[in-house]
Amino acid sequence: MAVEMPFEAPLAQLREKIRELEQFGQEKGIDFSEEIARLEERYKELEEEIYSNISPSQKMHLARHHQRPTSLDLIGLIFEDYMELHGDRLFGDDLAVVGGLAKLDGVPVTVLGQQRGKDTKDNIARFFGSAHPEGFRKALRLMRQADKFGRPIITFIDTKGAYPGITAEERGQSEAIARNLLEMAKLRVPVICVVIGEGGSGGALALGVGNRVLMLENAIYSVISPNGAASILWKDASKADQAAEAMKITAQDLLEMEVIEEIVPEPKGGAHRDYEEAAAAIKERLLRHLEELSALHPDELVEDRYRKFRKIGEFEEQRKTAEMPIIDTVTASND
């Protein structure tokens, strides 16, 4: 049973009333079918009302839900013959990043993802999905291998950010992230990135330079986590909900700004409600985008990726000539 979010409390209460009425009718032999039908109809209306008006801060909590499917959950449901590969061949094997070889409907691909833990022990081993430099270098090693053998690359993004500790800095955290950005931009195979939970800061970008970037409906994607932004703006990380409302971090915001190409719908209530439905929705879009990108020449793939990121952040500057008259500097100086 999925854990309820605070904003889902009215649904839980109504569901409990329906259950109690059904149980009471069975015990007393009374027919409450009409009353139950009315309550069920009200439940559907309330469900539609709540889930169609989820705020950015509520989406943030859904993206962080501890039962939300992880990269390995989705890899197991979407791909066949997955074989995980380990290590960066420089320092060690970072469990916060997983990756290997697989097939997508028979097509050989390289798949990568940031991996949160399923429990406390697993989260500690995987640094809560926050990678060290060796994690990013492992990802880069596998991407270079995919580029060499002509395999498309699919990445799953799910991290609050790169690991911020001194051990990561000692081993070159910023260089590892920057190297991934540079090398991913030059890959000559299709690259599709999917934000499945929280995509935060450079840790997300290190796996996010793709020809297509997709987001699950309730995922978030931002240059800094709402908690980090609140700490900077208000010196209070507890104001993360307030920061989330202002930061334009939802899939709907980012689609409008053309940072991403498509929103992947989730099961009603979130991806944690039905892993298989969420995976099926992702797979359908991966196949479609991969078919489109596979028709491009390697040079066209690089150019396509370049154009995608160059267009982000465009703005127009309008000159108000009536308020800013042009002065003839020659005439003015002669006078």
Side-chain angles (χ1 to χ4, degrees):
M1 182 69 181
V3 175
E4 304 285 345
M5 302 294 288
F7 66 88
E8 296 175 304
L11 287 173
Q13 293 168 2
L14 189 53
R15 192 161 51 241
E16 180 62 20
K17 287 181 181 179
I18 294 172
R19 189 193 65 78
E20 289 176 353
L21 195 58
E22 288 175 336
Q23 185 176 352
F24 184 75
Q26 291 173 359
E27 291 175 353
K28 302 298 182 180
I30 304 174
D31 183 11
F32 288 117
S33 56
E34 291 186 9
E35 289 81 357
I36 291 172
R38 282 197 295 269
L39 287 175
E40 288 177 341
E41 184 63 29
R42 173 54 187 154
Y43 182 89
K44 291 178 182 178
E45 293 173 358
L46 185 60
E47 186 179 49
E48 182 62 29
E49 179 183 333
I50 288 175
Y51 291 137
S52 62
N53 294 286
I54 301 176
S55 69
S57 60
Q58 290 169 341
K59 285 181 181 289
M60 176 185 72
H61 291 294
L62 281 174
R64 294 174 172 177
H65 198 290
H66 71 277
Q67 292 178 316
R68 195 170 177 83
T70 65
S71 293
L72 286 176
D73 290 326
L74 294 173
I75 288 171
L77 291 168
I78 295 172
F79 302 92
E80 312 95 44
D81 301 331
Y82 173 65
M83 179 175 66
E84 186 171 350
L85 302 177
H86 299 271
D88 68 341
R89 303 298 185 267
L90 292 169
F91 181 85
D93 186 34
D94 187 349
L95 299 181
V97 175
V98 297
L101 311 179
K103 290 182 180 178
L104 179 62
D105 266 14
V107 178
V109 297
T110 289
V111 59
L112 299 157
Q114 285 141 341
Q115 179 66 23
R116 295 177 288 107
K118 285 290 192 178
D119 52 37
T120 302
K121 182 179 179 181
D122 196 21
N123 263 318
I124 291 172
R126 297 185 185 276
F127 299 100
F128 294 83
S130 295
H132 280 69
E134 52 268 26
F136 298 124
R137 289 171 180 144
K138 172 169 67 173
L140 181 57
R141 178 177 75 84
L142 297 183
M143 287 189 283
R144 283 172 170 165
Q145 181 193 78
D147 195 38
K148 177 180 179 180
F149 292 102
R151 289 192 300 268
I153 298 167
I154 295 165
T155 72
F156 292 121
I157 297 170
D158 188 16
T159 182
K160 292 185 178 181
Y163 187 73
I166 189 171
T167 53
E169 295 301 327
E170 287 174 342
R171 299 200 285 272
Q173 185 72 290
S174 58
E175 188 279 336
I177 293 172
R179 179 67 59 184
N180 276 30
L181 300 181
L182 175 65
E183 296 293 334
M184 287 189 77
K186 298 187 293 183
L187 292 169
R188 296 171 62 80
V189 294
V191 182
I192 304 175
C193 309
V194 188
V195 184
I196 61 173
E198 181 172 10
S201 192
L205 288 176
L207 293 185
V209 184
N211 297 91
R212 302 288 183 271
V213 179
L214 318 179
M215 282 183 71
L216 282 178
E217 182 181 358
N218 295 313
I220 60 174
Y221 196 26
S222 60
V223 71
I224 187 173
S225 72
N227 306 71
S231 297
I232 293 171
L233 294 174
W234 300 294
K235 311 298 181 186
D236 185 357
S238 67
K239 293 185 177 180
D241 285 2
Q242 186 176 341
E245 297 289 340
M247 288 173 62
K248 302 292 185 183
I249 60 176
T250 68
Q252 292 73 19
D253 291 325
L254 296 169
L255 181 64
E256 183 179 343
M257 293 187 286
E258 298 186 0
V259 174
I260 66 171
E261 277 64 51
E262 187 172 356
I263 298 173
V264 182
E266 297 187 24
K268 193 163 289 185
H272 60 286
R273 299 282 180 183
D274 190 331
Y275 283 22
E276 292 188 359
E277 183 180 340
I282 294 172
K283 183 175 182 178
E284 186 274 325
R285 284 151 182 83
L286 288 177
L287 289 168
R288 173 159 44 82
H289 284 288
L290 187 56
E291 183 179 4
E292 294 172 4
L293 292 171
S294 297
L296 299 180
H297 185 273
D299 291 337
E300 293 177 313
L301 288 169
V302 176
E303 179 63 22
D304 174 79
R305 205 175 304 126
Y306 172 80
R307 287 198 305 267
K308 170 191 165 45
F309 285 92
R310 284 293 293 173
K311 74 180 180 181
I312 295 175
E314 287 185 350
F315 66 93
E316 293 182 2
E317 183 177 351
Q318 183 176 1
R319 184 174 184 180
K320 298 181 180 179
T321 54
E323 298 177 10
M324 300 173 59
I326 300 174
I327 300 174
D328 187 337
T329 55
V330 176
T331 305
S333 60
N334 289 338
D335 293 344

